[in-house]
Amino acid sequence: MTVHALNELLLVCSLVLLVAVAAVRISSRSGLPSLLLYLGIGIAMGQDGIFDVKFDNAELTQVIGYAALVVILAEGGLGTKWKEVKPALPAAAMLSTVGVGISVGVTASAAHYLVGLDWRQALIIGAVVSSTDAAAVFSVLRRVPLPSRITGVLEAESGFNDAPVVILVVAFSAVGPVEHWYVLVGEIALELAIGAAIGLAVGWLGALGLRHVALPASGLYPIAVMAIAVSAYAAGAMVHGSGFLAVYLAAMILGNSKLPHWPATRGFADGLGWLAQIGMFVLLGLLVTPHDLIDDFWPAVVVGLVLTAVARPLSVFISLAPFRLPRREKALMSWAGLRGAVPIILATIPMVSGIEGSTRVFNIVFVLVVVYTLIQGPTLPWLARALKISDDPSEAADLGIESAPLERLRGHLLSVSIPGKSKMHGVEVAELRLPSGAAVTLVVRDGKSFVPAPSTVLRRGDELLVVATDPVRDAAEARLRAVGEGGKLAGWLGTGGRGRPDSGRASDAPQVKKLAKKLGRGGEGQPGGAQGGAPGSSSGGAPGDTRAHH
Protein backbone atom coordinates (compact mmCIF):
# COMPACT_ATOMS: atom_id res chain seq x y z
CA MET A 1 0.00 0.00 0.00
CA THR A 2 1.37 3.41 -1.00
CA VAL A 3 1.45 6.43 1.28
CA HIS A 4 -1.21 8.12 -0.87
CA ALA A 5 -3.52 5.10 -0.58
CA LEU A 6 -2.95 5.01 3.16
CA ASN A 7 -3.86 8.69 3.44
CA GLU A 8 -7.08 8.10 1.51
CA LEU A 9 -7.94 5.12 3.72
CA LEU A 10 -7.37 7.14 6.90
CA LEU A 11 -9.52 9.96 5.53
CA VAL A 12 -12.38 7.59 4.71
CA CYS A 13 -12.16 5.89 8.12
CA SER A 14 -12.15 9.25 9.90
CA LEU A 15 -15.20 10.44 7.99
CA VAL A 16 -17.03 7.19 8.73
CA LEU A 17 -16.27 7.53 12.44
CA LEU A 18 -17.45 11.15 12.49
CA VAL A 19 -20.70 10.22 10.75
CA ALA A 20 -21.16 7.28 13.12
CA VAL A 21 -20.62 9.50 16.17
CA ALA A 22 -23.20 11.94 14.80
CA ALA A 23 -25.53 8.97 14.32
CA VAL A 24 -25.43 8.33 18.07
CA ARG A 25 -27.09 11.71 18.60
CA ILE A 26 -29.80 10.83 16.08
CA SER A 27 -30.26 7.49 17.81
CA SER A 28 -30.69 9.07 21.25
CA ARG A 29 -33.34 11.46 19.93
CA SER A 30 -35.30 8.92 17.86
CA GLY A 31 -35.11 5.97 20.27
CA LEU A 32 -33.73 3.72 17.54
CA PRO A 33 -30.79 1.45 18.40
CA SER A 34 -27.63 2.87 16.88
CA LEU A 35 -26.87 -0.46 15.16
CA LEU A 36 -29.42 0.35 12.46
CA LEU A 37 -27.70 3.62 11.64
CA TYR A 38 -24.29 1.94 11.47
CA LEU A 39 -25.67 -0.79 9.22
CA GLY A 40 -27.13 1.95 7.04
CA ILE A 41 -23.70 3.57 6.73
CA GLY A 42 -22.21 0.25 5.62
CA ILE A 43 -25.01 -0.38 3.11
CA ALA A 44 -24.63 3.14 1.70
CA MET A 45 -20.92 2.51 1.16
CA GLY A 46 -21.33 -1.01 -0.27
CA GLN A 47 -22.87 -2.60 -3.32
CA ASP A 48 -25.96 -0.78 -4.63
CA GLY A 49 -24.84 2.14 -2.48
CA ILE A 50 -23.27 5.53 -3.10
CA PHE A 51 -19.64 4.37 -3.24
CA ASP A 52 -20.39 0.89 -4.70
CA VAL A 53 -17.67 -0.82 -2.64
CA LYS A 54 -17.67 -4.55 -3.42
CA PHE A 55 -16.95 -6.62 -0.34
CA ASP A 56 -17.86 -10.29 0.00
CA ASN A 57 -15.25 -11.75 2.37
CA ALA A 58 -17.42 -13.55 4.93
CA GLU A 59 -14.41 -15.13 6.65
CA LEU A 60 -12.76 -11.75 7.34
CA THR A 61 -16.09 -10.39 8.53
CA GLN A 62 -16.44 -13.31 10.94
CA VAL A 63 -12.94 -12.84 12.38
CA ILE A 64 -13.38 -9.09 12.85
CA GLY A 65 -16.87 -9.67 14.23
CA TYR A 66 -15.57 -12.13 16.82
CA ALA A 67 -12.87 -9.66 17.88
CA ALA A 68 -15.42 -6.85 18.15
CA LEU A 69 -17.79 -9.09 20.10
CA VAL A 70 -15.04 -9.88 22.61
CA VAL A 71 -14.50 -6.15 23.19
CA ILE A 72 -18.25 -5.51 23.49
CA LEU A 73 -18.68 -8.34 26.00
CA ALA A 74 -15.70 -7.07 27.99
CA GLU A 75 -17.16 -3.57 28.08
CA GLY A 76 -20.54 -4.96 29.12
CA GLY A 77 -19.00 -7.05 31.88
CA LEU A 78 -17.03 -4.08 33.24
CA GLY A 79 -20.26 -2.10 33.50
CA THR A 80 -22.26 -4.86 35.17
CA LYS A 81 -22.98 -4.20 38.84
CA TRP A 82 -22.68 -7.38 40.86
CA LYS A 83 -25.30 -6.32 43.41
CA GLU A 84 -27.87 -6.01 40.60
CA VAL A 85 -26.88 -9.15 38.71
CA LYS A 86 -26.40 -11.48 41.69
CA PRO A 87 -30.13 -11.92 42.47
CA ALA A 88 -30.82 -12.33 38.75
CA LEU A 89 -28.24 -15.04 38.04
CA PRO A 90 -30.58 -18.06 38.41
CA ALA A 91 -33.22 -16.50 36.16
CA ALA A 92 -30.62 -15.40 33.61
CA ALA A 93 -29.06 -18.88 33.60
CA MET A 94 -32.47 -20.45 32.88
CA LEU A 95 -33.14 -17.99 30.05
CA SER A 96 -29.68 -18.62 28.60
CA THR A 97 -30.06 -22.41 28.55
CA VAL A 98 -33.66 -23.63 28.74
CA GLY A 99 -34.93 -20.45 27.13
CA VAL A 100 -32.47 -20.74 24.25
CA GLY A 101 -33.48 -24.38 23.67
CA ILE A 102 -37.18 -23.47 23.50
CA SER A 103 -36.51 -20.53 21.20
CA VAL A 104 -34.38 -22.65 18.84
CA GLY A 105 -36.99 -25.41 18.63
CA VAL A 106 -39.98 -23.13 17.97
CA THR A 107 -38.19 -20.83 15.52
CA ALA A 108 -36.61 -23.73 13.59
CA SER A 109 -40.01 -25.41 13.25
CA ALA A 110 -41.48 -22.22 11.81
CA ALA A 111 -38.57 -21.82 9.38
CA HIS A 112 -39.02 -25.43 8.21
CA TYR A 113 -42.80 -25.71 7.97
CA LEU A 114 -43.79 -22.13 7.09
CA VAL A 115 -40.84 -20.98 4.96
CA GLY A 116 -39.77 -24.34 3.49
CA LEU A 117 -36.14 -24.43 4.58
CA ASP A 118 -34.51 -27.81 5.16
CA TRP A 119 -33.91 -28.81 8.78
CA ARG A 120 -30.23 -27.87 8.84
CA GLN A 121 -30.89 -24.35 7.56
CA ALA A 122 -33.90 -24.03 9.87
CA LEU A 123 -31.90 -25.10 12.93
CA ILE A 124 -29.12 -22.65 12.03
CA ILE A 125 -31.60 -19.77 11.81
CA GLY A 126 -33.29 -20.85 15.04
CA ALA A 127 -29.95 -20.88 16.87
CA VAL A 128 -28.62 -17.69 15.30
CA VAL A 129 -31.59 -15.50 16.27
CA SER A 130 -31.87 -16.90 19.81
CA SER A 131 -29.12 -14.61 21.12
CA THR A 132 -30.18 -11.24 22.54
CA ASP A 133 -28.09 -8.06 22.45
CA ALA A 134 -27.62 -5.99 25.60
CA ALA A 135 -26.37 -2.95 23.67
CA ALA A 136 -29.54 -2.87 21.57
CA VAL A 137 -31.81 -3.33 24.61
CA PHE A 138 -30.28 -0.67 26.83
CA SER A 139 -29.74 1.86 24.05
CA VAL A 140 -33.54 2.28 23.90
CA LEU A 141 -34.23 1.72 27.61
CA ARG A 142 -31.63 4.12 28.97
CA ARG A 143 -34.30 6.83 29.34
CA VAL A 144 -36.69 4.55 31.22
CA PRO A 145 -35.79 3.75 34.85
CA LEU A 146 -36.40 0.03 35.38
CA PRO A 147 -36.14 -2.03 38.58
CA SER A 148 -32.75 -3.65 39.00
CA ARG A 149 -34.30 -7.14 38.99
CA ILE A 150 -35.36 -6.61 35.34
CA THR A 151 -32.21 -4.92 34.09
CA GLY A 152 -30.11 -7.50 35.95
CA VAL A 153 -31.88 -10.42 34.24
CA LEU A 154 -31.73 -8.85 30.77
CA GLU A 155 -28.09 -7.83 31.10
CA ALA A 156 -26.92 -11.15 32.50
CA GLU A 157 -28.94 -13.08 29.90
CA SER A 158 -27.38 -11.13 27.03
CA GLY A 159 -23.92 -11.82 28.44
CA PHE A 160 -24.54 -15.52 29.03
CA ASN A 161 -26.61 -16.66 26.04
CA ASP A 162 -23.96 -15.89 23.44
CA ALA A 163 -21.91 -18.88 24.58
CA PRO A 164 -24.49 -21.71 24.09
CA VAL A 165 -25.76 -20.12 20.88
CA VAL A 166 -22.27 -20.03 19.34
CA ILE A 167 -21.79 -23.70 20.22
CA LEU A 168 -25.12 -24.62 18.59
CA VAL A 169 -24.45 -22.64 15.41
CA VAL A 170 -20.98 -24.16 14.99
CA ALA A 171 -22.43 -27.66 15.55
CA PHE A 172 -25.25 -27.15 13.03
CA SER A 173 -22.82 -25.64 10.49
CA ALA A 174 -20.34 -28.54 10.66
CA VAL A 175 -19.96 -30.71 7.58
CA GLY A 176 -21.68 -34.07 8.04
CA PRO A 177 -24.69 -35.18 10.10
CA VAL A 178 -25.80 -33.09 13.07
CA GLU A 179 -25.02 -34.71 16.42
CA HIS A 180 -27.76 -36.01 18.69
CA TRP A 181 -29.32 -33.47 21.03
CA TYR A 182 -27.98 -35.10 24.17
CA VAL A 183 -24.42 -34.94 22.78
CA LEU A 184 -24.87 -31.23 22.06
CA VAL A 185 -26.23 -30.64 25.57
CA GLY A 186 -23.18 -32.36 27.06
CA GLU A 187 -20.79 -30.33 24.90
CA ILE A 188 -22.53 -27.09 25.82
CA ALA A 189 -22.41 -27.90 29.54
CA LEU A 190 -18.71 -28.81 29.37
CA GLU A 191 -17.68 -25.73 27.39
CA LEU A 192 -19.68 -23.44 29.64
CA ALA A 193 -18.12 -24.98 32.75
CA ILE A 194 -14.59 -24.59 31.36
CA GLY A 195 -15.25 -21.02 30.23
CA ALA A 196 -16.78 -20.06 33.58
CA ALA A 197 -13.85 -21.51 35.53
CA ILE A 198 -11.26 -19.73 33.39
CA GLY A 199 -13.15 -16.44 33.42
CA LEU A 200 -13.51 -16.44 37.21
CA ALA A 201 -9.86 -17.40 37.72
CA VAL A 202 -8.46 -14.83 35.28
CA GLY A 203 -10.70 -12.08 36.64
CA TRP A 204 -9.78 -12.79 40.27
CA LEU A 205 -6.05 -13.04 39.58
CA GLY A 206 -6.11 -9.93 37.40
CA ALA A 207 -7.94 -7.88 40.03
CA LEU A 208 -5.55 -9.09 42.72
CA GLY A 209 -2.54 -8.09 40.65
CA LEU A 210 -3.86 -4.65 39.70
CA ARG A 211 -4.72 -3.82 43.31
CA HIS A 212 -1.25 -4.71 44.60
CA VAL A 213 1.04 -3.67 41.73
CA ALA A 214 1.38 0.07 41.18
CA LEU A 215 1.76 0.90 37.49
CA PRO A 216 3.99 3.88 36.59
CA ALA A 217 1.19 5.76 34.77
CA SER A 218 -2.56 5.96 35.33
CA GLY A 219 -3.15 5.51 31.59
CA LEU A 220 -1.79 1.96 31.80
CA TYR A 221 -4.61 0.76 34.06
CA PRO A 222 -7.34 0.83 31.34
CA ILE A 223 -5.03 -1.02 28.93
CA ALA A 224 -4.16 -3.62 31.56
CA VAL A 225 -7.81 -4.23 32.44
CA MET A 226 -8.85 -4.76 28.81
CA ALA A 227 -5.80 -6.97 28.19
CA ILE A 228 -6.73 -9.18 31.16
CA ALA A 229 -10.32 -9.50 29.96
CA VAL A 230 -9.29 -10.39 26.40
CA SER A 231 -6.76 -12.91 27.69
CA ALA A 232 -9.64 -14.70 29.44
CA TYR A 233 -11.32 -15.18 26.06
CA ALA A 234 -8.11 -16.48 24.47
CA ALA A 235 -7.41 -18.88 27.34
CA GLY A 236 -10.96 -20.22 27.31
CA ALA A 237 -11.03 -20.75 23.55
CA MET A 238 -7.62 -22.47 23.50
CA VAL A 239 -8.75 -25.16 25.96
CA HIS A 240 -12.05 -25.70 24.08
CA GLY A 241 -14.12 -23.76 26.58
CA SER A 242 -16.51 -20.90 26.01
CA GLY A 243 -14.30 -17.88 25.46
CA PHE A 244 -17.29 -15.53 25.31
CA LEU A 245 -18.49 -16.57 28.75
CA ALA A 246 -14.91 -16.36 30.07
CA VAL A 247 -14.37 -12.78 28.91
CA TYR A 248 -17.74 -11.63 30.27
CA LEU A 249 -17.18 -13.17 33.72
CA ALA A 250 -13.57 -11.95 33.93
CA ALA A 251 -14.64 -8.42 33.01
CA MET A 252 -17.50 -8.53 35.52
CA ILE A 253 -15.10 -9.48 38.33
CA LEU A 254 -12.68 -6.73 37.30
CA GLY A 255 -15.51 -4.22 37.13
CA ASN A 256 -16.59 -4.96 40.70
CA SER A 257 -13.13 -5.08 42.28
CA LYS A 258 -12.64 -1.38 43.15
CA LEU A 259 -9.59 -0.98 40.96
CA PRO A 260 -7.50 2.21 40.88
CA HIS A 261 -8.44 4.92 38.37
CA TRP A 262 -11.74 3.20 37.67
CA PRO A 263 -13.62 6.06 35.90
CA ALA A 264 -10.74 6.38 33.42
CA THR A 265 -10.82 2.62 32.83
CA ARG A 266 -14.59 2.67 32.38
CA GLY A 267 -14.38 5.53 29.89
CA PHE A 268 -11.62 3.81 27.93
CA ALA A 269 -13.63 0.56 27.75
CA ASP A 270 -16.76 2.45 26.74
CA GLY A 271 -14.90 4.14 23.90
CA LEU A 272 -13.48 0.81 22.70
CA GLY A 273 -16.96 -0.70 22.85
CA TRP A 274 -18.38 2.05 20.66
CA LEU A 275 -15.49 1.69 18.21
CA ALA A 276 -16.03 -2.08 18.03
CA GLN A 277 -19.76 -1.66 17.40
CA ILE A 278 -19.25 0.97 14.72
CA GLY A 279 -16.62 -1.04 12.85
CA MET A 280 -18.55 -4.29 13.13
CA PHE A 281 -21.88 -2.93 11.92
CA VAL A 282 -20.37 -0.94 9.07
CA LEU A 283 -18.54 -4.08 7.91
CA LEU A 284 -21.74 -6.14 8.13
CA GLY A 285 -23.51 -3.50 6.07
CA LEU A 286 -20.77 -3.74 3.46
CA LEU A 287 -21.14 -7.53 3.30
CA VAL A 288 -24.83 -7.51 2.45
CA THR A 289 -26.11 -7.02 -1.09
CA PRO A 290 -29.38 -5.05 -0.85
CA HIS A 291 -30.99 -6.25 -4.09
CA ASP A 292 -30.57 -9.86 -2.92
CA LEU A 293 -32.70 -9.17 0.17
CA ILE A 294 -35.93 -8.63 -1.75
CA ASP A 295 -36.69 -12.35 -2.30
CA ASP A 296 -36.03 -13.15 1.37
CA PHE A 297 -37.98 -10.25 2.86
CA TRP A 298 -41.28 -12.02 3.56
CA PRO A 299 -39.68 -15.27 4.80
CA ALA A 300 -37.71 -13.14 7.26
CA VAL A 301 -40.89 -11.36 8.38
CA VAL A 302 -42.67 -14.69 8.96
CA VAL A 303 -39.78 -16.21 10.92
CA GLY A 304 -39.36 -13.00 12.92
CA LEU A 305 -43.06 -12.87 13.74
CA VAL A 306 -42.97 -16.39 15.16
CA LEU A 307 -39.77 -15.60 17.05
CA THR A 308 -41.16 -12.37 18.55
CA ALA A 309 -44.76 -13.36 19.22
CA VAL A 310 -44.38 -17.06 20.07
CA ALA A 311 -40.83 -18.32 20.66
CA ARG A 312 -39.53 -15.48 22.87
CA PRO A 313 -42.64 -15.26 25.12
CA LEU A 314 -42.71 -19.07 25.49
CA SER A 315 -39.03 -19.18 26.41
CA VAL A 316 -39.48 -16.39 28.98
CA PHE A 317 -42.64 -17.69 30.64
CA ILE A 318 -41.56 -21.34 30.72
CA SER A 319 -37.95 -20.81 31.83
CA LEU A 320 -38.96 -18.24 34.45
CA ALA A 321 -41.89 -20.29 35.77
CA PRO A 322 -39.96 -21.31 38.95
CA PHE A 323 -39.40 -17.64 39.80
CA ARG A 324 -42.10 -15.46 41.29
CA LEU A 325 -42.01 -12.63 38.81
CA PRO A 326 -45.13 -10.61 37.91
CA ARG A 327 -46.65 -11.32 34.51
CA ARG A 328 -46.16 -7.74 33.37
CA GLU A 329 -42.42 -8.00 34.01
CA LYS A 330 -42.27 -11.24 32.04
CA ALA A 331 -44.20 -9.52 29.25
CA LEU A 332 -41.66 -6.71 29.13
CA MET A 333 -38.78 -9.22 29.08
CA SER A 334 -40.49 -11.04 26.21
CA TRP A 335 -40.66 -7.87 24.14
CA ALA A 336 -37.16 -6.80 25.19
CA GLY A 337 -35.46 -9.71 23.39
CA LEU A 338 -33.81 -7.44 20.82
CA ARG A 339 -31.41 -8.93 18.29
CA GLY A 340 -28.32 -7.02 17.29
CA ALA A 341 -24.81 -7.71 16.09
CA VAL A 342 -24.44 -11.26 17.37
CA PRO A 343 -27.04 -12.94 15.09
CA ILE A 344 -25.66 -11.28 11.97
CA ILE A 345 -22.09 -12.27 12.89
CA LEU A 346 -23.15 -15.84 13.65
CA ALA A 347 -24.92 -16.01 10.29
CA THR A 348 -21.49 -15.81 8.64
CA ILE A 349 -20.43 -19.14 10.22
CA PRO A 350 -22.41 -21.34 7.78
CA MET A 351 -21.18 -19.14 4.90
CA VAL A 352 -17.56 -19.81 5.88
CA SER A 353 -18.32 -23.53 6.36
CA GLY A 354 -19.83 -23.74 2.86
CA ILE A 355 -23.27 -24.94 3.98
CA GLU A 356 -25.79 -25.08 1.14
CA GLY A 357 -28.21 -22.14 1.24
CA SER A 358 -26.04 -20.21 3.72
CA THR A 359 -26.37 -16.96 1.74
CA ARG A 360 -30.14 -17.15 2.05
CA VAL A 361 -29.79 -17.82 5.78
CA PHE A 362 -27.64 -14.69 6.12
CA ASN A 363 -30.14 -12.57 4.18
CA ILE A 364 -33.09 -13.80 6.25
CA VAL A 365 -31.25 -13.08 9.50
CA PHE A 366 -30.17 -9.63 8.29
CA VAL A 367 -33.70 -8.60 7.30
CA LEU A 368 -35.16 -10.09 10.50
CA VAL A 369 -32.79 -8.12 12.72
CA VAL A 370 -33.38 -4.83 10.92
CA VAL A 371 -37.18 -5.09 10.64
CA TYR A 372 -37.91 -6.23 14.18
CA THR A 373 -35.40 -3.86 15.74
CA LEU A 374 -37.27 -1.06 13.97
CA ILE A 375 -40.51 -2.37 15.47
CA GLN A 376 -39.39 -3.34 18.97
CA GLY A 377 -36.80 -0.63 19.65
CA PRO A 378 -38.99 2.50 19.64
CA THR A 379 -41.90 0.73 21.35
CA LEU A 380 -39.94 -0.63 24.33
CA PRO A 381 -40.04 2.58 26.39
CA TRP A 382 -43.74 2.97 25.60
CA LEU A 383 -44.46 -0.60 26.70
CA ALA A 384 -42.54 -0.12 29.95
CA ARG A 385 -44.65 2.93 30.74
CA ALA A 386 -47.88 1.22 29.67
CA LEU A 387 -47.14 -1.73 31.97
CA LYS A 388 -46.27 0.77 34.75
CA ILE A 389 -42.85 -0.80 35.22
CA SER A 390 -40.48 1.87 36.46
CA ASP A 391 -37.97 2.17 39.22
CA ASP A 392 -38.82 3.84 42.48
CA PRO A 393 -37.76 7.47 41.98
CA SER A 394 -37.00 7.77 45.68
CA GLU A 395 -34.49 4.93 45.62
CA ALA A 396 -31.00 6.15 46.45
CA ALA A 397 -28.55 6.16 43.59
CA ASP A 398 -25.14 4.63 44.01
CA LEU A 399 -22.21 6.92 44.69
CA GLY A 400 -19.55 7.40 42.05
CA ILE A 401 -16.22 6.78 43.79
CA GLU A 402 -12.82 6.96 42.10
CA SER A 403 -9.75 5.68 43.91
CA ALA A 404 -6.20 6.81 43.19
CA PRO A 405 -3.39 5.06 45.12
CA LEU A 406 -0.62 7.13 46.72
CA GLU A 407 2.13 4.57 46.98
CA ARG A 408 4.85 6.76 48.51
CA LEU A 409 2.42 8.27 51.04
CA ARG A 410 0.82 4.90 51.87
CA GLY A 411 -2.65 6.23 51.31
CA HIS A 412 -5.50 6.72 48.87
CA LEU A 413 -7.44 9.63 47.42
CA LEU A 414 -11.16 8.89 47.03
CA SER A 415 -13.04 11.17 44.67
CA VAL A 416 -16.74 10.91 45.57
CA SER A 417 -19.63 12.24 43.44
CA ILE A 418 -23.01 12.63 45.18
CA PRO A 419 -25.85 11.83 42.70
CA GLY A 420 -29.27 13.44 42.81
CA LYS A 421 -31.02 10.56 44.59
CA SER A 422 -28.33 9.92 47.18
CA LYS A 423 -29.37 10.11 50.83
CA MET A 424 -26.05 11.73 51.58
CA HIS A 425 -27.80 14.99 50.66
CA GLY A 426 -28.34 16.96 53.85
CA VAL A 427 -25.74 15.05 55.88
CA GLU A 428 -23.07 17.04 57.71
CA VAL A 429 -19.41 16.11 57.26
CA ALA A 430 -19.09 15.08 60.90
CA GLU A 431 -22.18 12.87 60.54
CA LEU A 432 -20.40 10.74 57.95
CA ARG A 433 -18.56 9.15 60.90
CA LEU A 434 -15.68 8.00 58.74
CA PRO A 435 -13.22 5.57 60.33
CA SER A 436 -10.20 7.03 62.09
CA GLY A 437 -7.59 7.49 59.42
CA ALA A 438 -9.98 8.92 56.80
CA ALA A 439 -11.26 12.47 56.34
CA VAL A 440 -13.03 14.77 53.88
CA THR A 441 -10.44 17.34 52.84
CA LEU A 442 -12.10 19.19 49.95
CA VAL A 443 -15.61 19.82 48.58
CA VAL A 444 -16.35 21.03 45.05
CA ARG A 445 -19.77 22.69 44.71
CA ASP A 446 -21.07 24.60 41.70
CA GLY A 447 -17.59 24.73 40.22
CA LYS A 448 -16.00 26.17 43.37
CA SER A 449 -13.84 24.24 45.83
CA PHE A 450 -13.49 24.81 49.57
CA VAL A 451 -12.19 23.06 52.68
CA PRO A 452 -15.20 21.83 54.67
CA ALA A 453 -15.82 22.29 58.38
CA PRO A 454 -17.30 19.44 60.46
CA SER A 455 -20.71 21.14 60.25
CA THR A 456 -20.66 21.63 56.48
CA VAL A 457 -23.84 20.19 54.98
CA LEU A 458 -23.32 18.06 51.88
CA ARG A 459 -25.61 18.52 48.90
CA ARG A 460 -26.54 16.59 45.79
CA GLY A 461 -24.09 17.30 43.01
CA ASP A 462 -21.16 17.83 45.39
CA GLU A 463 -17.82 16.21 44.70
CA LEU A 464 -15.73 15.23 47.72
CA LEU A 465 -12.03 14.51 48.06
CA VAL A 466 -11.47 11.98 50.83
CA VAL A 467 -8.00 11.03 52.07
CA ALA A 468 -7.68 7.54 53.59
CA THR A 469 -4.75 5.51 54.83
CA ASP A 470 -4.15 2.00 53.49
CA PRO A 471 -5.66 0.07 56.44
CA VAL A 472 -9.01 1.93 56.34
CA ARG A 473 -9.42 2.56 52.62
CA ASP A 474 -12.06 -0.16 52.13
CA ALA A 475 -13.83 0.72 55.38
CA ALA A 476 -14.03 4.38 54.37
CA GLU A 477 -15.56 3.53 51.00
CA ALA A 478 -18.02 1.12 52.61
CA ARG A 479 -19.08 3.82 55.07
CA LEU A 480 -19.55 6.38 52.30
CA ARG A 481 -21.72 4.00 50.31
CA ALA A 482 -23.72 3.14 53.43
CA VAL A 483 -24.50 6.80 54.10
CA GLY A 484 -25.41 7.26 50.45
CA GLU A 485 -27.96 4.46 50.76
CA GLY A 486 -29.23 5.00 54.32
CA GLY A 487 -28.47 8.59 55.24
CA LYS A 488 -26.95 9.80 58.49
CA LEU A 489 -28.59 6.92 60.42
CA ALA A 490 -27.00 4.26 58.23
CA GLY A 491 -25.01 2.74 61.10
CA TRP A 492 -28.06 2.43 63.31
CA LEU A 493 -30.19 1.02 60.50
CA GLY A 494 -27.80 -1.89 59.97
CA THR A 495 -26.33 -0.62 56.71
CA GLY A 496 -23.05 0.63 58.09
CA GLY A 497 -21.16 -2.59 57.38
CA ARG A 498 -17.43 -2.27 57.49
CA GLY A 499 -17.75 1.48 57.51
CA ARG A 500 -18.59 1.76 61.24
CA PRO A 501 -16.32 4.12 63.12
CA ASP A 502 -14.83 1.32 65.17
CA SER A 503 -13.54 -0.41 62.02
CA GLY A 504 -10.62 1.98 61.73
CA ARG A 505 -7.55 2.37 63.86
CA ALA A 506 -6.94 5.43 66.02
CA SER A 507 -3.25 5.20 65.29
CA ASP A 508 -3.92 6.16 61.66
CA ALA A 509 -5.14 9.68 62.54
CA PRO A 510 -1.67 11.29 62.57
CA GLN A 511 -0.87 9.62 59.26
CA VAL A 512 -3.95 11.01 57.53
CA LYS A 513 -3.02 14.48 58.81
CA LYS A 514 0.39 14.00 57.26
CA LEU A 515 -1.17 12.86 53.98
CA ALA A 516 -3.51 15.83 53.83
CA LYS A 517 -0.74 18.27 54.66
CA LYS A 518 1.50 16.90 51.90
CA LEU A 519 -1.33 17.18 49.42
CA GLY A 520 -2.03 20.76 50.44
CA ARG A 521 -5.66 19.95 51.24
CA GLY A 522 -6.61 20.91 54.78
CA GLY A 523 -4.26 19.45 57.39
CA GLU A 524 -2.97 20.87 60.61
CA GLY A 525 -3.53 24.50 61.27
CA GLN A 526 -6.37 24.84 58.70
CA PRO A 527 -9.96 25.23 59.83
CA GLY A 528 -12.12 22.27 59.07
CA GLY A 529 -9.14 20.35 57.76
CA ALA A 530 -8.30 16.69 57.66
CA GLN A 531 -9.89 15.84 60.97
CA GLY A 532 -13.21 17.46 60.11
CA GLY A 533 -14.97 14.16 59.62
CA ALA A 534 -13.03 11.93 61.97
CA PRO A 535 -14.96 10.57 64.90
CA GLY A 536 -13.84 11.67 68.27
CA SER A 537 -11.90 14.71 67.07
CA SER A 538 -12.12 17.91 69.05
CA SER A 539 -13.28 19.77 65.99
CA GLY A 540 -16.41 17.66 65.69
CA GLY A 541 -18.59 20.32 67.27
CA ALA A 542 -16.48 23.37 66.61
CA PRO A 543 -18.08 26.52 65.31
CA GLY A 544 -17.44 27.80 61.84
CA ASP A 545 -20.37 26.33 59.92
CA THR A 546 -19.72 26.91 56.24
CA ARG A 547 -23.38 26.73 55.28
CA ALA A 548 -23.69 30.51 55.48
CA HIS A 549 -20.89 30.92 52.96
CA HIS A 550 -22.03 28.30 50.47
Side-chain angles (χ1 to χ4, degrees), residues 401-456:
I401 299 181
E402 176 181 0
S403 174
L406 305 171
E407 293 297 329
R408 291 181 296 175
L409 303 181
R410 298 180 60 196
H412 290 265
L413 282 178
L414 303 180
S415 177
V416 183
S417 300
I418 304 179
K421 298 178 183 178
S422 174
K423 293 186 179 179
M424 192 178 287
H425 175 75
V427 175
E428 295 183 5
V429 170
E431 291 173 332
L432 292 175
R433 303 201 312 278
L434 295 175
S436 180
V440 180
T441 60
L442 195 71
V443 175
V444 180
R445 178 178 298 166
D446 298 329
K448 298 180 179 179
S449 60
F450 60 91
V451 177
S455 55
T456 298

Side-chain angles (χ1 to χ4, degrees), residues 19-381:
V19 173
V21 171
V24 176
R25 182 64 175 172
I26 300 174
S27 172
S28 63
R29 287 180 174 270
S30 64
L32 291 174
S34 53
L35 70 92
L36 295 180
L37 300 176
Y38 302 151
L39 285 173
I41 293 173
I43 293 175
M45 294 175 60
Q47 300 182 52
D48 300 341
I50 300 174
F51 298 100
D52 195 26
V53 176
K54 292 180 172 56
F55 178 80
D56 58 358
N57 194 331
E59 186 173 1
L60 177 62
T61 304
Q62 179 184 331
V63 172
I64 296 178
Y66 269 40
L69 184 57
V70 170
V71 174
I72 293 171
L73 284 174
E75 188 272 332
L78 291 174
T80 300
K81 295 182 179 179
W82 174 246
K83 68 177 183 179
E84 294 182 1
V85 172
K86 182 179 178 181
L89 285 181
M94 289 293 290
L95 278 175
S96 303
T97 52
V98 177
V100 165
I102 295 172
S103 179
V104 171
V106 175
T107 307
S109 299
H112 177 71
Y113 291 110
L114 299 181
V115 178
L117 299 178
D118 63 45
W119 273 114
R120 181 186 290 272
Q121 297 171 357
L123 286 171
I124 291 174
I125 287 182
V128 163
V129 299
S130 293
S131 179
T132 58
D133 191 321
V137 171
F138 292 110
S139 66
V140 296
L141 285 180
R142 61 185 176 275
R143 293 170 292 136
V144 182
L146 292 177
S148 58
R149 61 181 176 273
I150 295 180
T151 58
V153 171
L154 292 174
E155 189 169 356
E157 178 203 7
S158 63
F160 293 160
N161 64 12
D162 292 339
V165 166
V166 169
I167 298 171
L168 287 175
V169 175
V170 171
F172 295 151
S173 302
V175 178
V178 178
E179 296 178 322
H180 296 293
W181 67 268
Y182 50 85
V183 177
L184 287 177
V185 170
E187 289 182 356
I188 291 174
L190 179 60
E191 291 194 25
L192 291 180
I194 295 174
I198 291 179
L200 294 174
V202 171
W204 183 80
L205 291 174
L208 183 66
L210 288 176
R211 284 175 62 88
H212 289 82
V213 177
L215 298 177
S218 60
L220 293 177
Y221 281 91
I223 299 175
V225 169
M226 291 301 296
I228 291 171
V230 173
S231 67
Y233 168 82
M238 289 178 65
V239 296
H240 304 290
S242 173
F244 293 114
L245 181 59
V247 66
Y248 183 77
L249 290 178
M252 186 167 63
I253 291 178
L254 291 169
N256 290 271
S257 297
K258 303 176 184 176
L259 299 177
H261 305 288
W262 179 244
T265 300
R266 190 71 187 90
F268 178 77
D270 190 45
L272 280 184
W274 278 108
L275 185 62
Q277 288 189 59
I278 293 171
M280 178 174 54
F281 288 129
V282 170
L283 194 62
L284 291 172
L286 282 172
L287 184 64
V288 72
T289 305
H291 68 261
D292 290 341
L293 302 177
I294 299 175
D295 294 337
D296 297 314
F297 180 82
W298 289 113
V301 171
V302 171
V303 174
L305 182 62
V306 174
L307 171 67
T308 306
V310 182
R312 173 66 180 180
L314 275 178
S315 65
V316 170
F317 278 84
I318 293 177
S319 58
L320 297 183
F323 307 95
R324 297 181 179 179
L325 293 174
R327 288 181 175 270
R328 55 194 179 93
E329 293 187 4
K330 293 181 181 178
L332 181 64
M333 292 182 191
S334 300
W335 193 248
L338 288 180
R339 273 70 195 171
V342 178
I344 304 177
I345 293 173
L346 296 182
T348 63
I349 295 178
M351 296 177 69
V352 175
S353 301
I355 299 299
E356 183 180 356
S358 58
T359 301
R360 190 184 185 195
V361 169
F362 179 86
N363 291 338
I364 290 176
V365 171
F366 189 94
V367 173
L368 186 154
V369 170
V370 172
V371 170
Y372 284 92
T373 302
L374 279 171
I375 295 174
Q376 292 175 269
T379 57
L380 265 175

